[in-house]
Amino acid sequence: QVQLVESGGGLVQPGGSLRLSCAYSGSIFSFNAMGWYRQAPGKQRELVATVTFGGRTNYVDSVKGRFTASRDNVKTSVYLQMNSLKPENTAVYYCNLAQGASSTVIDYWGQGTQVTVSS
């Protein structure tokens, strides 16, 4: 079985920082990419950042320069460093892992961690 566990969320003031972690376990020897998603109340889940097994990253425009995704393949974890947080960044953040051939990709999800940005 495959398991993803997010941690690091919490309450932070505007301009503050948080580092989210996602530890994965199970029959995962490599992955195509891992992604950080977020879902605010009343809104659809959106992709925030991705990181490949090799370390290549991509970001949604609104977080470029503020958020940094990374991975540690030895520790079997991925991270999302969030700086200069804004109230609109408040959401439940989810970790996603995509694995397999391009025609048979399987997605796994964590349970989410709450990030609240408020004064």
Side-chain angles (χ1 to χ4, degrees):
Q1 63 277 4
V2 174
Q3 184 178 20
L4 279 65
V5 180
E6 300 102 331
S7 62
L11 175 64
V12 64
Q13 292 185 324
S17 299
L18 285 174
R19 189 192 190 199
L20 305 184
S21 299
C22 176
Y24 60 88
S25 62
S27 57
I28 301 175
F29 306 107
S30 65
F31 55 85
N32 299 356
M34 295 190 70
W36 286 100
Y37 292 74
R38 65 188 176 193
Q39 186 169 26
K43 298 183 179 180
Q44 289 187 291
R45 187 176 299 185
E46 67 171 341
L47 179 63
V48 178
T50 61
V51 56
T52 68
F53 190 80
R56 182 179 179 182
T57 57
N58 285 285
Y59 305 91
V60 68
D61 287 344
S62 62
V63 308
K64 288 182 178 179
R66 299 190 296 118
F67 291 11
T68 302
S70 61
R71 90 283 183 266
D72 187 329
N73 295 338
V74 176
K75 295 182 178 179
T76 62
S77 297
V78 295
Y79 309 93
L80 184 66
Q81 178 67 45
M82 305 186 295
N83 299 325
S84 302
L85 283 163
K86 305 174 181 179
E88 55 263 40
N89 298 144
T90 295
V92 177
Y93 284 71
Y94 297 89
C95 178
N96 163 269
L97 184 150
Q99 182 186 44
S102 61
S103 60
T104 56
V105 174
I106 300 175
D107 287 289
Y108 302 95
W109 293 89
Q111 80 287 351
T113 184
Q114 177 70 49
V115 172
T116 302
V117 185
S118 176
S119 60

